[in-house]
Amino acid sequence: MTTDTLTNRTYRLLRRVPKGKVTTYKALANALHTKAYRAIGQIMKSNPYAPEVPCHRVVASDGTIGGFMGKTKGAAIQKKIAMLQKEGVNIRRNKIQEFSSVYWSDW
DNA sequence: CGGTTGACCAAGT
DNA sequence: GACTTGGCCAACC
């Protein structure tokens, strides 16, 4: 990685997140000392590092999964969501249950 | 290099 | 609880 763009940093950081845990776009932006919540969203969708960078482990600050399924109807993401639940994350409708329990903030 | 977009966020209605 | 508005920032055209 020669380019030190926000994208690369985001991937690197997200890579640290253990399974069974999730984080928010805001937390990532905060950890990177930026406010590009939105840009990170775009980054995830472009996520070229599929299983390496668990973009599905990133959710909105409200504990909602985000605009993946209901809005954008991303079929691929739904599978990731199912995998999340398998890892131990309980999701209800579009929102994470016990969000605080699975929320990762200790980078 | 200007304008549009978006897997966002917070506050207001 | 759902929708709207303003703001923020990077990537794309």
Side-chain angles (χ1 to χ4, degrees):
Chain A
M1 296 311 159
T2 51
T3 47
D4 303 340
T5 60
L6 178 74
T7 318
N8 278 302
R9 287 185 223 165
T10 305
Y11 292 140
R12 213 180 300 170
L13 199 63
L14 185 53
R15 231 162 122 180
R16 291 199 209 175
V17 180
K19 60 184 178 179
K21 297 268 179 179
V22 295
T23 187
T24 69
Y25 297 97
K26 186 172 191 159
L28 284 164
N30 185 32
L32 297 168
H33 309 130
T34 181
K35 287 138 192 143
Y37 323 109
R38 259 186 145 164
I40 291 177
Q42 306 303 1
I43 293 164
M44 295 295 112
K45 127 179 163 165
S46 290
N47 177 24
Y49 305 81
E52 248 259 19
V53 179
C55 53
H56 57 270
R57 270 183 212 152
V58 184
V59 296
S61 307
D62 294 345
T64 49
I65 297 301
F68 319 118
M69 35 158 90
K71 269 181 170 176
T72 50
K73 301 174 174 135
I77 210 72
Q78 276 208 11
K79 291 193 170 182
K80 298 183 180 179
I81 298 303
M83 188 168 72
L84 262 181
Q85 295 184 81
K86 223 174 181 180
E87 289 182 358
V89 181
N90 292 353
I91 301 174
R92 173 81 166 187
R93 269 170 45 177
N94 246 26
K95 303 183 183 158
I96 296 183
Q97 308 301 285
E98 310 271 324
F99 181 51
S100 300
S101 303
V102 294
Y103 178 67
W104 183 256
S105 51
D106 186 15
W107 304 102

